[in-house]
Amino acid sequence: YMSDSLVINVTGRETRVALIEQGALAELYIERQSECGTVGNIYKGRVSKVLPGMQSAFVDIGLERDAFLYVSEVHDTLEELERLDTSDDGDEKAEDSELVASGGEADGDVDGNVDPVVTEASPSADRDRVSQAKIEDLLNQGQEVLVQVVKEPLGTKGARITSHVSMPGRFLVFLPTVDHIGISRKIASREERSRLRQIVREFRSEHNFSGGVIVRTAAGGRSKEDIIGDLSYFHQVWTGIRQRTESNPPPTVVYQEESLVAKLVRDFLTTDYSAIRIDNAEEYGRVVKLVERIMPDLASRVRQYTKGFPIFDEYGIQDEIDKALRPKVWLKSGGYIVINHTEALVAIDVNTGRYVGKRTGRLEDTILKTNLEAVKEIARQFRLRDLGGIIVLDLIDMEERKNRQKVFQAMEQELRRDRSPSKAIQVADVGLIIVTRKRVKQTLERQLTEPCPYCSGSGTIKSMSTICYEILAEVQKIRGDLNGQGIVLRVNPDIVRALQEEERGVLRDLRATLGRDLTLKPDARLHHEQFDVMAM
């Protein structure tokens, strides 16, 4: 099996990208034509409601629900729109200000969709002025605004948006709505900093190109062409955005985030990857071009997969996906974990299962071993299923405190490899670990499954006996109103069988209660819990 690689499956309807780490499926990204993700997209929207009490606003950007804009994410928009019209270069007052790379965001490890954190790092007095401002002074109902989606709409919540628009490139992050050049702190050399700043400045004045740029750590030591490559790409994209902004009424998309594959290749591709395998000729061509542009030395690692056998089956990925939709995950040692989603949190239970260790071994060691293995698997499942919010891990109880500590440290260690910000807390007395994890996309379960229509997502329906007794109670209630010759009872075929076999007594009581003919009529279209009583 391959070490680290990207396996890409493209059909006309959907694109699936599997991220393989150390031979195991680590993350899965799915983009369907019908429901392309919105994070990173830029919209010209219209303010539909301003909520002074919550210091936020709802903005119509053309999605099913209005998007949510918080006061700290608002620019002084009127000035912005004026600036869009007059694309002069602005004075470079923030010349040598350094970029505070908050949360490492601007340092080449921006996660799939650049968090607005990047822009918060640009030291603009503008931001401070706005932070005192009130939402009702900045926005009015009906006003047009340019915004970017930061968080997908989830469940009943609308998308989260910001007016601090940012676009990540390979070496730079482009901030169209501020006027400032920042350089990642991690580029320490004075000469290198001024060389990079010089390249950006020359480009800006040559092309009369306004907008801010943050130079990412990855730019250190790269050639002038590399940097210019990013800049001309931004220039072209931004020109397009401005044209669409001027010519289309809101709500409208003015910039669509790059395709899923382009985004992942841009963010993940490092020399650690031994291969990128793609089963679609067109997408293969596109990826080769992209890799040649951003990391030419790796172009030879992009391969087209041409066997007739589905690529996800060939590499055992489909099996992993199927397993990731089931609540139970087996561990190599024979123990297992169970993952349950509830409205408020995700609960994960660890069990020893078949594994109880060697006869001679101490039970405590067995349990420690199972817990350690479970923690590793749980961290993998976080990424694979993209579990978020509050996650409670109920581990197997251990007597010794040092063992509990070992397991907790192992959990913290595993979480460091996770690109989603997460934090673990130990509740020592009861053997629980609580993890909070930020979720950026929808969980795998949400993407690939829907609640069962039969049990309305609860996972249970009333038992046969319960339904038989309910029928009896109902008939007793209405018998006075039935003045026909006989009664037809229409029920699901399984209930007919139950009434004729294990619940024969109920059927006898029904006939006795009615004192007249009773005909059972099986109807497969009826839900188990439904029944009809009709007079003949």
Side-chain angles (χ1 to χ4, degrees):
Y1 208 90
M2 312 156 282
S3 52
D4 288 9
S5 51
L6 286 172
V7 179
I8 301 167
N9 163 237
V10 181
T11 61
R13 303 261 157 258
E14 70 170 359
T15 300
R16 300 186 298 169
V17 181
L19 177 65
I20 311 287
E21 281 178 10
Q22 299 165 355
L25 177 62
E27 291 181 35
L28 182 73
Y29 293 84
I30 298 173
E31 186 170 80
R32 296 197 168 140
Q33 241 184 354
S34 53
E35 47 192 62
C36 274
T38 55
V39 165
N41 288 357
I42 300 173
Y43 294 83
K44 177 181 178 183
R46 172 170 276 134
V47 178
S48 53
K49 206 190 221 156
V50 178
L51 308 168
M54 286 171 71
Q55 278 305 299
S56 57
F58 283 114
V59 180
D60 177 11
I61 57 174
L63 300 177
E64 203 178 319
R65 292 191 181 78
D66 284 354
F68 182 79
L69 181 63
Y70 195 66
V71 67
S72 63
E73 299 295 344
V74 184
H75 275 298
D76 214 327
T77 18
L78 298 172
E79 277 179 30
E80 284 315 317
L81 289 170
E82 277 163 27
R83 262 204 52 239
L84 283 180
D85 297 338
T86 57
S87 58
D88 63 299
D89 197 51
D91 62 307
E92 304 196 19
K93 53 188 177 303
E95 199 45 275
D96 213 34
S97 57
E98 307 225 336
L99 168 73
V100 188
S102 66
E105 275 303 35
D107 298 337
D109 54 359
V110 175
D111 60 3
N113 32 26
V114 171
D115 258 28
V117 189
V118 179
T119 57
E120 288 173 13
S122 42
S124 59
D126 180 42
R127 209 9 130 77
D128 301 334
R129 198 183 70 245
V130 174
S131 65
Q132 273 99 56
K134 293 200 165 66
I135 192 101
E136 55 271 36
D137 303 336
L138 295 173
L139 297 176
N140 342 328
Q141 200 166 337
Q143 183 179 337
E144 296 183 2
V145 285
L146 193 71
V147 293
Q148 183 173 35
V149 175
V150 184
K151 208 170 177 192
E152 295 284 0
L154 284 177
T156 54
K157 299 189 181 94
R160 278 271 304 284
I161 52 177
T162 178
S163 64
H164 304 288
V165 177
S166 67
M167 285 178 220
R170 186 84 198 173
F171 307 111
L172 312 170
V173 177
F174 174 47
L175 314 171
T177 56
V178 300
D179 182 22
H180 158 73
I181 302 175
I183 295 190
S184 161
R185 280 256 171 93
K186 291 192 184 160
I187 298 178
S189 128
R190 195 93 200 133
E191 296 85 90
E192 183 58 2
R193 297 175 72 85
S194 68
R195 176 186 81 95
L196 291 165
R197 177 171 284 113
Q198 199 47 44
I199 298 174
V200 175
R201 255 159 110 195
E202 275 170 21
F203 185 92
R204 279 176 47 157
S205 55
E206 257 170 58
H207 295 83
N208 194 8
F209 178 39
S210 69
V213 171
I214 290 175
V215 180
R216 291 169 78 162
T217 312
R222 301 302 296 221
S223 70
K224 182 171 177 173
E225 291 74 45
D226 280 346
I227 309 296
I228 299 261
D230 261 12
L231 286 165
S232 13
Y233 168 69
F234 289 146
H235 187 37
Q236 171 201 330
V237 169
W238 188 239
T239 311
I241 290 179
R242 291 193 20 205
Q243 284 160 356
R244 283 187 293 276
T245 307
E246 279 155 31
S247 52
N248 298 328
T252 181
V253 179
V254 291
Y255 167 76
Q256 197 104 38
E257 175 60 294
E258 294 173 321
S259 82
L260 176 66
V261 175
K263 211 160 46 182
L264 294 174
V265 167
R266 181 189 72 204
D267 291 333
F268 284 126
L269 195 57
T270 60
T271 44
D272 301 345
Y273 281 86
S274 58
I276 298 178
R277 288 187 168 72
I278 307 170
D279 66 358
N280 171 291
E282 228 174 291
E283 192 67 52
Y284 167 73
R286 275 201 290 267
V287 171
V288 170
K289 268 207 199 90
L290 177 67
V291 175
E292 277 169 351
R293 195 187 92 208
I294 61 179
M295 286 188 96
D297 347 343
L298 296 186
S300 62
R301 299 186 190 180
V302 182
R303 315 239 174 90
Q304 192 181 342
Y305 174 86
T306 49
K307 295 188 196 168
F309 199 61
I311 189 166
F312 270 26
D313 289 322
E314 171 81 6
Y315 295 118
I317 296 164
Q318 191 56 52
D319 277 354
E320 289 291 325
I321 297 172
D322 296 339
K323 281 186 201 153
L325 294 174
R326 297 188 200 131
K328 190 184 273 194
V329 182
W330 285 98
L331 303 170
K332 282 197 181 66
S333 65
Y336 62 92
I337 60 177
V338 181
I339 300 173
N340 285 314
H341 296 253
T342 70
E343 192 69 22
L345 47 81
V346 178
I348 302 183
D349 203 24
V350 182
N351 298 299
T352 47
R354 310 186 274 260
Y355 178 58
V356 284
K358 309 273 179 298
R359 283 275 163 78
T360 54
R362 287 170 57 239
L363 186 61
E364 180 84 357
D365 298 342
T366 305
I367 292 177
L368 174 62
K369 196 174 157 202
T370 307
N371 277 340
L372 287 171
E373 195 191 345
V375 158
K376 219 180 166 67
E377 182 59 42
I378 287 169
R380 183 175 87 98
Q381 295 291 335
F382 282 175
R383 291 173 65 193
L384 181 52
R385 301 183 188 221
D386 206 18
L387 303 174
I390 298 172
I391 307 160
V392 179
L393 318 184
D394 186 3
L395 298 158
I396 309 168
D397 276 347
M398 291 179 293
E399 302 288 311
E400 297 172 31
R401 187 147 168 241
K402 67 170 200 299
N403 288 344
R404 290 203 288 254
Q405 212 40 46
K406 253 187 210 155
V407 172
F408 182 65
Q409 278 159 354
M411 184 80 236
E412 290 192 308
Q413 191 60 44
E414 290 297 325
L415 289 177
R416 285 194 197 111
R417 299 183 38 193
D418 192 342
R419 284 191 343 281
S420 271
S422 47
K423 204 169 130 209
I425 305 154
Q426 193 172 16
V427 188
D429 315 348
V430 279
L432 294 180
I433 294 178
I434 298 174
V435 176
T436 57
R437 182 176 186 272
K438 183 176 167 204
R439 191 172 63 219
V440 186
K441 53 187 195 354
Q442 295 206 336
T443 60
L444 196 62
E445 187 184 57
R446 260 246 171 87
Q447 265 185 312
L448 297 182
T449 64
E450 53 185 38
C452 157
Y454 211 81
C455 68
S456 317
S458 71
T460 55
I461 57 170
K462 289 177 182 167
S463 69
M464 304 271 194
S465 312
T466 304
I467 296 165
C468 292
Y469 299 147
E470 282 185 357
I471 294 173
L472 180 59
E474 189 61 30
V475 167
Q476 285 170 336
K477 207 160 67 189
I478 58 171
R479 64 180 171 192
D481 308 332
L482 298 169
N483 46 17
Q485 276 63 55
I487 296 295
V488 177
L489 179 61
R490 210 165 58 100
V491 284
N492 181 288
D494 289 343
I495 306 297
V496 172
R497 194 193 48 69
L499 283 169
Q500 285 164 346
E501 293 170 19
E502 64 264 34
E503 296 298 343
R504 280 194 304 270
V506 175
L507 188 57
R508 273 203 305 276
D509 291 355
L510 273 171
R511 295 205 154 111
T513 302
L514 286 166
R516 62 184 90 172
D517 248 8
L518 172 70
T519 315
L520 291 179
K521 192 172 172 201
D523 185 338
R525 288 167 311 185
L526 282 181
H527 188 291
H528 269 68
E529 297 177 2
Q530 286 175 321
F531 55 87
D532 268 346
V533 183
M534 297 174 297
M536 267 156 66

